[in-house]
Amino acid sequence: MIPVLRTKLDRQTPFSFSCKQCLQCCNAKKIQVNPYEIARLARNLGISTTAFIARYTVENGSFLQTTHNKTCLFLGDGGCLVHADRPLVCRLYPLARHVNHKGDEWFSELQPETGCRGILKRSGSIENYLEEQGATPYMLAANSYLNLLWEMMTILENTDNDDKESPDEEMNTLLENGQLMDMDAALNIYCQERELPVPHSVEEKMQMHLDALYLWTKEKP
Ligand code: SF4
Ligand code: SF4
């Protein structure tokens, strides 16, 4: 666990951070990713989300894989090889974002890495920092997938079927089948069934992926 310096911060809290690219913080971290982040990274590399999950993630696509010495696979000599499409946690570090099931949002300021050369100040605002880091589409995507998970839990808990699996098992089934994390695989099935073209942009794909997941959850026997 990374020590927390301050928590329960909101977007107006004074905060600024200037990273000096010393590359130390891309080691020994578990970088969690959602389907949108996987799709951005896959597009960056020119491969499908299916191939990305197989080559670059662990735990059914939930975390980025690391090298044997726990360095992120995307850390090159000159820095992050996928910088333009890096995940949200990488964009926000040393800030962490939290959202609860009611949609309440707050932030924590984490203790920077030992030897981190970044300059942390109590000036500016978290809002400005989020903008500088291009975090908005990532936060919207995170909210959408979190809402989906909360709704899936509610739908599955309310399913009136003695034979139904528990919500956790249902969720694990979607995860293991790849439909939850593998956007391209899910859309291939969804579009083929409906004779629809697969959208091109990651944002359009994400919207259709969310629609498909909501539908599949509701269609559960
Ligand atoms: S350790 Fe600090 S200065 Fe170095 S790359 Fe990470 S955030 Fe930037
Ligand atoms: S994706 Fe890039 S910024 Fe994030 S941990 Fe890996 S190398 Fe570092």
Side-chain angles (χ1 to χ4, degrees), residues 25-27 29 31 41 64 72-76 79-83 86-87 90:
C25 59
C26 303
N27 292 295
K29 303 276 187 319
I31 306 291
L41 290 164
L64 294 187
C72 177
L73 282 188
F74 297 115
L75 183 61
C80 177
L81 299 172
V82 290
H83 185 76
R86 66 200 185 285
C90 308

Side-chain angles (χ1 to χ4, degrees), residues 21-64:
Q21 307 288 332
C22 70
L23 312 182
Q24 288 194 61
C25 59
C26 303
N27 292 295
K29 303 276 187 319
K30 263 190 115 176
I31 306 291
Q32 189 163 18
V33 282
N34 64 31
Y36 174 76
E37 292 169 309
I38 289 175
R40 290 275 305 247
L41 290 164
R43 184 189 63 181
N44 185 294
L45 299 177
I47 59 176
S48 69
T49 57
T50 311
F52 184 88
I53 289 169
R55 287 182 213 164
Y56 298 112
T57 70
V58 293
E59 297 182 39
N60 292 315
S62 298
F63 296 92
L64 294 187

Side-chain angles (χ1 to χ4, degrees), residues 67 121 162 171 213:
T67 63
K121 289 188 180 160
D162 291 342
M171 213 79 80
L213 290 170

